């Protein structure tokens, strides 16, 4: 492993082709045991095979702890339930990136930075003109973030790293809101320094120059909660992508842009959009949710219950639990009656009693109820994954920073088991 923060405990024994090898084992601060195989190939000539990396610890990290069996999620040791109730997204972002809750002075400085770097270079607005109106906002988001490296070329790990982190956190919401305005053909609304992070995002999305728009408190609080719940989730697909790209010492903006692309997929952050598409389909099909439960159980159908299942959570996803309660509250406060919420609850109820879902430990994940809240807030479906990206940004940054600060960190470079042809001789075209 790259450094030795974990406690060396016992050794594991491996018998390979009748020869015995001892492998060091380590225990993390929550008692998780890892077998150190970093010398495996040089000692034995063998490598491990772990499709989807389900059993591979790619790094040591002090940022987020998940116990999937018990449904525990903590950022820097703080339970997600407490942060969701008592904190706000700005504070949580600071916590993830810098490792501790900020004191008053630290928070003020951080907030000042987040508001005073929120403008994007006016030339960047020209990029939006090049995208067709049908462009998915995730494609725009990732391109725009990558293009930030043209405006701030020193975005590697240098003296300006903190400034570039603030720039990125601050500008992502402007970029995201502008991409929404572009998609509906409205003029861009510039960021406002007097608003909170979440209120500013909503203001840039929903204000129009001809009217005074005040962000309703219920929307601001709902978005803040959603952002907190999405802020980090240890070594998931997009975060591992950020670390993977960053491990080549690619700059911050390039690394995060790659993470945005990884998040876009329907099995990851794109699931929130897919959940709504699925619920709409069920509604339009007469609300027969049992039919869709049966489809999800039928492997031939290739249909999956979107927003269900998780690689790590095998009991419940604590974020989904919070969001289910929040969906009820937000819809009630907004006076919205959405038949999708009833369909979602019915699906959940019936799935949780079904042996297929019980045996496979499939439970609603964070994406199952988040889409219903976004819908009630008036956020269009194709922006859902963008909102996820906005929330996940501090986590990606914290993980990128942790990797760059790890002494002896190496470029990510997995091995493979080659199963292709063995050597063969080239055959001339006329003889094939
Ligand atoms: N509907 C029906 N069956 C499912 C589902 C589902 N949503 N998820 C998993 N299964 C089945 C799967 O077919 C497999 O069955 P079997 O053992 O008979 O082959 C078993 O459950 C295990 O699934 P897996 O695909 O091996 O699990 P995984 O850990 O590789 O994948 C997952 C996890 C989240 C990609 C998957 O559960 C899934 O595709 N869910 C739907 C998409 C989704 O909601 N994604 C958002 C994840 S949470 C947000 C985030 O952090 O990205």
């Amino acid at each position: 492993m790259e450094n030795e923060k974990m406690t060396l405990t016992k050794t594991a024994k491996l018998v390979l082709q009748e020869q015995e090898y001892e492998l060091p084992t380590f225990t993390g601060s929550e008692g998780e045991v890892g077998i150190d195989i970093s010398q495996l190939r040089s000692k034995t000539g063998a490598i491990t095979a772990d499709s989807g990396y389900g059993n591979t610890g790619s790094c040591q990290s002090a940022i987020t702890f998940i116990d999937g069996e018990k449904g525990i999620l903590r950022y820097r040791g703080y339970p997600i339930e407490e942060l969701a109730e008592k904190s706000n997204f700005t504070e949580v972002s600071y916590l993830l990136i810098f490792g501790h809750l900020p004191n008053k002075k630290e928070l003020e400085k951080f907030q000042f930075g987040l508001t005073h770097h929120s403008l994007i270079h006016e030339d960047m607005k020209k990029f939006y003109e090049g995208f067709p109106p049908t462009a998915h906002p995730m494609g725009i988001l990732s391109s725009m973030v990558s293009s930030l490296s043209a405006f701030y070329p020193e975005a590697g790990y240098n003296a300006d790293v903190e400034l570039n982190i603030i720039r990125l956190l601050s500008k992502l919401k402007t970029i995201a809101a502008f991409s929404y305005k572009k998609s509906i053909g409205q003029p861009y609304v510039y960021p406002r320094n007097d608003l909170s992070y979440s209120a500013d995002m909503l203001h840039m999305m929903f204000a129009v120059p001809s009217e005074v728009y005040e962000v309703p408190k219920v929307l601001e609080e709902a978005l803040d909660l959603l952002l907190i719940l999405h802020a980090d989730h240890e070594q998931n697909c997009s975060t591992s992508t950020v670390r993977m790209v960053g491990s080549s010492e690619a700059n911050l903006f390039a690394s995060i842009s790659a993470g945005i692309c990884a998040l876009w997929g329907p099995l990851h952050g794109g699931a929130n959009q897919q959940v709504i598409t699925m619920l709409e389909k069920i509604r339009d099909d007469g609300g027969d949710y049992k039919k869709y439960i049966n489809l999800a159980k039928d492997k031939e159908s290739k249909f999956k219950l979107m927003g269900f299942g998780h690689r790590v959570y095998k009991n419940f996803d604590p974020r989904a639990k919070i969001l289910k309660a929040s969906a009820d509250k937000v819809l009630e406060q907004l006076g919205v009656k959405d038949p999708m919420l009833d369909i979602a609850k019915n699906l959940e109820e019936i799935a949780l009693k079904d042996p297929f879902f019980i045996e496979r430990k499939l439970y609603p994940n964070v994406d199952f109820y988040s889409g219903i809240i976004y819908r009630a807030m008036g956020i269009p479906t194709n922006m859902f994954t963008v909102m996820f990206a906005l929330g996940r940004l501090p986590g990606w940054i914290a993980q990128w920073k942790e990797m760059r600060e790890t002494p002896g960190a190496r470029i990510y470079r997995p091995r493979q088991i080659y199963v292709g042809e063995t050597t063969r001789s080239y055959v001339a075209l006329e003889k094939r």
Side-chain angles (χ1 to χ4, degrees), residues 320-388:
K321 218 173 179 180
I322 299 171
L323 283 180
K324 187 179 178 186
S326 167
D328 280 329
K329 196 175 127 202
V330 173
L331 266 65
E332 194 196 316
Q333 284 177 340
L334 290 172
V336 172
K337 274 213 91 42
D338 190 346
M340 309 282 221
L341 182 57
D342 299 328
I343 297 175
K345 283 184 179 171
N346 286 335
L347 276 177
E348 178 183 351
E349 198 187 326
I350 187 168
L352 294 188
K353 287 186 198 142
D354 191 301
F356 177 93
F357 293 89
I358 296 170
E359 277 159 25
R360 289 168 181 76
K361 301 185 171 161
L362 301 173
Y363 298 87
N365 59 49
V366 68
D367 288 326
F368 196 62
Y369 287 105
S370 63
I372 291 170
I373 305 179
Y374 287 135
R375 239 169 85 89
M377 292 169 73
I379 293 170
T381 315
N382 68 355
M383 281 294 286
F384 291 0
T385 314
V386 170
M387 307 312 272
F388 191 153

Side-chain angles (χ1 to χ4, degrees), residues 267-268 271 299 304-309 311 360 362 365 367:
L267 299 189
H268 192 9
K299 291 283 164 67
K304 272 187 176 179
L305 209 52
M306 297 312 284
F308 252 74
R311 173 65 61 80
R360 289 168 181 76
L362 301 173
N365 59 49
D367 288 326

